[in-house]
Amino acid sequence: MTDLILTQTADDNAEGMAWLSGEGDSMSADFNHGDPLLVDMNVNNYVGDGIYVFQVGSDRFVKRLQRVPEGFAVLSSNPDYYTWYITPDMSLRVFGRVIKAWKSSEI
C-alpha cells in the first residue's frame, strides 16, 4: 500500500498519509459512500480551500472548507445539502486534508 501512496503524493514520503472512506452522499459530486480517500494527516489546520477531515464539537466530517468573513463555510458537493458555517466561538479540530479521492460508479 505504501507504494501506491508514494505514487499519489508530491514527494517520496508516505509518512502521515492515511486511507479513509467517506460515509453518506453529501460529497457525491467528489466521491461516493465508501470510496477510498488519501488523507494527509500532517495537515492539522486550515491551509486553503479544500476537502478536510475535521471535528466540530463531538461530530466528525469530511467536507470542503472555505474561509469566509464569518469563519469557515462548510460545503457539501451534493446540492441537496445546505452550506453551514463554523464561527470563531465553535471548536474546530482539523485531522487532515484529502489529497486524492477515487470515485466509484455503478456499471
Side-chain angles (χ1 to χ4, degrees):
M1 188 61 79
T2 299
D3 290 341
L4 180 58
I5 292 173
L6 289 176
T7 64
Q8 300 299 322
T9 57
D11 58 23
D12 290 335
N13 186 1
E15 188 173 325
M17 299 295 171
W19 289 104
L20 301 176
S21 61
E23 295 183 11
D25 68 349
S26 68
M27 296 299 289
S28 62
D30 292 304
F31 55 85
N32 294 312
H33 176 81
D35 285 349
L37 309 173
L38 182 58
V39 179
D40 184 349
M41 304 297 281
N42 297 305
V43 177
N44 297 121
N45 52 50
Y46 179 84
V47 295
D49 292 359
I51 298 174
Y52 290 84
V53 179
F54 64 95
Q55 181 172 320
V56 176
S58 61
D59 297 315
R60 292 189 179 173
F61 304 92
V62 179
K63 301 278 188 196
R64 185 173 304 280
L65 291 179
Q66 183 178 65
R67 188 177 295 282
V68 294
E70 298 89 346
F72 296 101
V74 180
L75 304 134
S76 297
S77 59
N78 181 337
D80 291 341
Y81 291 81
Y82 64 91
T83 298
W84 55 280
Y85 298 90
I86 301 171
T87 58
D89 62 316
M90 299 168 78
S91 171
L92 170 64
R93 181 175 176 198
V94 174
F95 295 104
R97 186 175 185 183
V98 176
I99 61 171
K100 295 282 183 183
W102 283 265
K103 186 173 181 180
S104 65
S105 62
E106 297 285 330
I107 54 171

